[in-house]
Amino acid sequence: MYRAGLDGRGAFARLCPLGIPWPRPSTSKNTAVAIPTYNGRDNIAKVIEALLRLYPAIHILVVDDRSPDGTAGIVREMQSRCPTLLLLERMQNRGFAPSYRDGFRRILAEPWCRAIVTMDADFSHDPAVIAKMLAGLAAVDVVVGSRYTTGGGVRNWRLYRRLLSRGANYYVRAVLSFGVRDTTSGFVCMRREALECAGVEHTASEGYAFLVELKYLLARSGSRIAEHAISFDERREGQSKMSAGKVWESLWMPWRIRLRSKLH
């Protein structure tokens, strides 16, 4: 695992209850997996089944953004036989960051929750890795599933995608003086206290740059962050999330995040 904070040192630590022993061990029973969805009917049932097969007691929160393909209906049908499956249907302010903010708010309202995992609904993140990430929380506050730490990698990506992703991560680290190598990873495991201290209720980003800002805020609030090597697999179903708009957002958003952090 690779540990890092801001400038690799967590230089902006605040007075938060981080870095202290857990009051009880992290287990799947007190863990919630947050999965944002939009038109995810092709995969959502398979992902839920895979998670529950590996971790029968884990809680899963699907945050659906008014998917017109009936994703929420599939989840509702599964709830009758999956008691730890939760569904949050968002009716306004559609977007990736608002979905996660609402999802975090819903999860943190549960007193049983000690750890939160974020992951995609398309099997690009291997559910089996969650156990190792949870184990890592015994020593740190946040574990990032990382393609760009030693042993990590990607599968089924063309060369231009590899170069674009590597370049974006290098650029973000340079702008934000950020020690995390995979700043754009959507596979993150956090102690409850780390998320509560990060202050993600209001963020500068609304799209996929939220993934960068989340890690930046976690580090800025003093969280100890480790990176666990993962192999990222291309989307099993559906279309790629990459677009020209998202590339443009990745260029200007780190500067906005940096400016906002200096004003708060």
Side-chain angles (χ1 to χ4, degrees):
M1 287 189 179
Y2 172 79
R3 292 182 58 176
L6 291 180
D7 296 317
R9 300 186 300 274
F12 291 89
R14 298 173 180 170
L15 296 177
C16 289
L18 300 173
I20 59 176
W22 273 50
R24 50 180 174 263
S26 56
T27 66
S28 60
K29 186 176 181 179
N30 55 35
T31 298
V33 180
I35 306 177
T37 58
Y38 182 74
N39 285 347
R41 67 171 296 132
D42 291 336
N43 281 315
I44 191 59
K46 300 171 188 175
V47 170
I48 292 169
E49 290 167 354
L51 283 166
L52 293 176
R53 187 163 53 248
L54 290 166
Y55 317 102
I58 204 165
H59 291 78
I60 304 167
L61 173 65
V62 176
V63 185
D64 188 65
D65 225 357
R66 289 181 293 164
S67 296
D69 71 346
T71 300
I74 293 174
V75 178
R76 280 195 300 271
E77 189 277 329
M78 295 184 72
Q79 283 183 300
S80 62
R81 61 181 187 275
C82 303
T84 59
L85 176 58
L86 308 172
L87 173 64
L88 176 59
E89 296 183 74
R90 302 184 65 255
M91 296 297 144
Q92 57 186 353
N93 192 23
R94 178 183 289 170
F96 184 77
S99 291
Y100 262 130
R101 287 196 297 263
D102 288 351
F104 290 158
R105 190 178 301 111
R106 172 68 176 83
I107 290 171
L108 292 176
E110 300 291 347
W112 50 258
C113 179
R114 305 310 309 166
I116 300 94
V117 177
T118 66
M119 66 180 292
D120 291 345
D122 56 14
F123 282 102
S124 54
H125 301 137
D126 183 359
V129 178
I130 291 175
K132 296 178 181 179
M133 296 172 74
L134 282 173
L137 293 184
V140 296
D141 305 302
V142 180
V143 178
V144 176
S146 178
R147 298 160 292 182
Y148 302 129
T149 194
T150 303
V154 296
R155 292 194 295 260
N156 303 321
W157 270 16
R158 295 181 179 178
L159 179 60
Y160 86 93
R161 286 286 304 277
R162 294 173 184 266
L163 294 175
L164 183 62
S165 180
R166 286 266 187 185
N169 275 279
Y170 180 83
Y171 176 78
V172 167
R173 292 198 306 271
V175 172
L176 297 178
S177 299
F178 201 24
V180 175
R181 296 182 185 182
D182 196 345
T183 62
T184 57
S185 173
F187 202 9
V188 183
C189 183
M190 302 165 280
R191 290 174 54 173
R192 177 193 185 102
E193 295 85 354
L195 183 57
E196 288 176 328
C197 290
V200 298
E201 298 86 359
H202 305 285
T203 59
S205 54
E206 293 296 311
Y208 288 98
F210 176 78
L211 297 173
V212 172
E213 189 169 6
L214 171 62
K215 299 175 192 66
Y216 180 77
L217 292 173
L218 286 164
R220 186 170 181 260
S221 65
S223 288
R224 300 164 302 164
I225 301 176
E227 297 192 63
H228 180 82
I230 63 169
S231 181
F232 181 90
D233 204 352
E234 182 56 285
R235 294 166 64 84
R236 186 174 296 186
E237 301 286 351
Q239 299 177 343
S240 172
K241 300 172 186 176
M242 188 59 61
S243 69
K246 293 179 178 63
V247 172
W248 173 243
E249 179 190 39
S250 70
L251 292 176
W252 63 263
M253 186 54 71
W255 291 101
R256 184 177 178 186
I257 294 171
R258 179 176 175 175
L259 175 62
R260 188 175 186 274
S261 71
K262 292 182 180 297
L263 298 176
H264 290 78

